Amino acid sequence: MRCFLPMACAALVLTAGAATAQGLQGAAIFEPPGPVVQLRIGVADLVLWPRDIARIDISESGGITDLFLWLEGGAAKALALATEAAPGAPMVARVCGTVMLETVVDRVTESGTIYLPNTNAIRAEALRALWHGRARCDTVGPEVFSNGN
C-alpha cells in the first residue's frame, strides 16, 4: 500500500477492521521527508523542504560536481527577502549538518536559485534522494555527509 497523505494512511491503519496489535506489528508507518537544505543568512535561518524546491540540476565534470537548486515561489521570495536584508553578511548552506557553501551575501538573490559548487556526485545524488523523499539525513550513510560542521 502506498500512501501520500499521512492522515489518510493513519486512518487506514487504525480502521483496518478489528486489527489486533499483533496484526499491526509489521505495518510500516509513513515518515514525512525531512529538510533538504538549511540556510543561515546573517541571523536568519531558512529551512528548505522538498516542497520548496522545484528542481535540482547537477553538473559534473572531471570529478567536480556543481548543484543548482531552483526554488518554488514562496521559498524563492523568502530567499530574496533574506538576502536583501543581509548585504555583506555570511551565508552558510548545510545539508544533513555538512557545510556545502560558505559565502558572503553580495547581492539580492532574486532568481530563486541556490548554487552549490565544488561537491561530488555522491553528495549530489544524496541531495536529490532527500529532495525526492527517498532518504532522510538519518538514513544517508555517514560517509556521504561526514564533516557535520
Side-chain angles (χ1 to χ4, degrees):
M1 171 180 76
R2 289 188 127 182
C3 278
F4 298 101
L5 301 171
M7 297 313 281
C9 290
L12 286 173
V13 170
L14 294 176
T15 61
T20 64
Q22 184 180 21
L24 289 176
Q25 219 169 9
I29 302 295
F30 176 78
E31 280 192 54
V36 178
V37 177
Q38 298 87 31
L39 285 175
R40 178 102 170 146
I41 303 170
V43 296
D45 287 317
L46 181 60
V47 178
L48 300 173
W49 299 86
R51 68 181 172 269
D52 296 324
I53 301 171
R55 78 178 202 252
I56 296 176
D57 292 335
I58 300 172
S59 173
E60 198 278 327
S61 178
I64 302 296
T65 304
D66 296 336
L67 295 159
F68 299 86
L69 283 66
W70 301 87
L71 304 185
E72 293 285 357
K77 181 70 172 168
L79 178 62
L81 291 172
T83 55
E84 181 178 41
M91 181 167 73
V92 178
R94 286 187 168 82
V95 176
C96 296
T98 296
V99 174
M100 299 287 287
L101 172 71
E102 286 184 280
T103 190
V104 173
V105 177
D106 61 354
R107 67 183 70 117
V108 178
T109 305
E110 295 175 353
S111 66
T113 305
I114 299 171
Y115 172 56
L116 302 175
N118 303 322
T119 188
N120 60 53
I122 293 170
R123 284 186 175 177
E125 289 302 329
L127 186 89
R128 191 188 316 244
L130 294 169
W131 173 49
H132 284 287
R134 295 188 319 261
R136 298 172 54 88
C137 286
D138 60 350
T139 63
V140 174
E143 67 280 0
V144 176
F145 295 109
S146 61
N147 66 1
N149 295 335

